[in-house]
Amino acid sequence: MRFGVIVCPQCKQVKSVDLSSKTTKCIRCGKTLQIKKLKIFYETESQEKLRNAIGLLNAELDKK
Ligand SMILES: [Zn+2]
């Protein structure tokens, strides 16, 4: 399985997605997001790397 890290365009929630899905639902605002329309910040097959990438992206967004 291949995972991606996205940011919800509506509420800026950082979220992991399964890249084989077409849509994902934001856990914070409940908006249904079309994965192909989103910017994929990071892609990996490793759940461990995925968690690290989410942590890094959250830290980066907090600075702004
Ligand atoms: Zn959202």
Side-chain angles (χ1 to χ4, degrees):
M1 200 189 270
R2 196 152 176 84
F3 303 102
V5 179
I6 59 104
V7 177
C8 174
Q10 186 159 288
C11 70
K12 310 299 180 199
Q13 172 74 34
V14 179
K15 184 181 184 316
S16 63
V17 295
D18 171 359
L19 291 178
S20 64
S21 304
K22 287 200 172 75
T23 61
T24 185
K25 197 171 183 183
C26 176
I27 49 173
R28 183 190 274 172
C29 69
K31 188 175 171 60
T32 299
L33 307 167
Q34 299 212 325
I35 292 173
K36 66 179 177 184
K37 289 187 181 170
L38 300 170
K39 178 175 159 66
I40 309 294
F41 286 87
Y42 191 76
E43 266 186 62
T44 182
E45 286 174 13
S46 155
Q47 296 226 34
E48 195 185 336
K49 285 183 183 167
L50 184 70
R51 275 197 297 273
N52 286 340
I54 290 173
L56 286 173
L57 194 54
N58 267 321
E60 204 166 299
L61 292 177
D62 276 351
K63 280 186 232 154
K64 286 170 193 168

